[in-house]
Amino acid sequence: MDEKMLEIALQFLKAFLVGGGICLLAQIIINFTDLTAGKILVYFMLGGVVLTAVGVYQPLVEFGGAGATVPISGFGYLLAQGAMKGAEKGFFSAITGSLSAASAGVTAAVVFAFIMALIFKSRTKRN
């Protein structure tokens, strides 16, 4: 295995460890608390914002790459990064910075959800 392949494999391993750790934490919360899935998602997103604000999430992103940016906490990281970059330009940009940072991902999610709704017919889940 050449050096480039080893580097890629190491990046995959790091992403798996970080993303897996985040998922493990979520699974522990699901198993041992009565929190709903919606509340857990909000807490993880806010956790990403708070960890970004105190400077902890950026090193995690640098180490784990997609393992840290793909989970919902990565969305909080993205919002916080946009707000901090916007704050350099002023108060209004601090508010709109997070929205512009996340706009491409949110737009893609809405467009693809719409396309899937047109293709597939929804129905009630049977127990």
Side-chain angles (χ1 to χ4, degrees):
M1 191 183 304
D2 65 342
E3 188 174 320
K4 184 73 171 173
M5 293 291 287
L6 188 61
E7 183 180 325
I8 292 171
L10 185 61
Q11 287 175 344
F12 282 153
L13 179 64
K14 288 178 181 179
F16 176 78
L17 291 174
V18 172
I22 293 170
C23 291
L24 175 67
L25 178 61
Q27 190 63 51
I28 290 170
I29 292 170
I30 289 168
N31 289 348
F32 295 108
T33 68
D34 291 330
L35 293 174
T36 63
K39 286 183 181 180
I40 294 170
L41 286 172
V42 169
Y43 291 150
F44 269 71
M45 195 268 306
L46 291 174
V49 170
V50 170
L51 291 176
T52 302
V54 297
V56 175
Y57 210 81
Q58 182 64 38
L60 193 63
V61 169
E62 291 171 2
F63 176 78
T69 58
V70 170
I72 193 70
S73 55
F75 183 68
Y77 162 77
L78 181 67
L79 292 175
Q81 285 292 99
M84 290 189 300
K85 287 181 183 174
E88 295 171 358
K89 299 176 186 173
F91 178 74
F92 184 72
S93 294
I95 295 170
T96 60
S98 60
L99 299 174
S100 62
S103 62
V106 172
T107 302
V110 170
V111 168
F112 288 118
F114 179 72
I115 292 170
M116 292 300 116
L118 292 175
I119 295 173
F120 298 101
K121 181 180 178 184
S122 64
R123 59 180 169 223
T124 305
K125 181 179 175 183
R126 296 180 186 178
N127 290 331

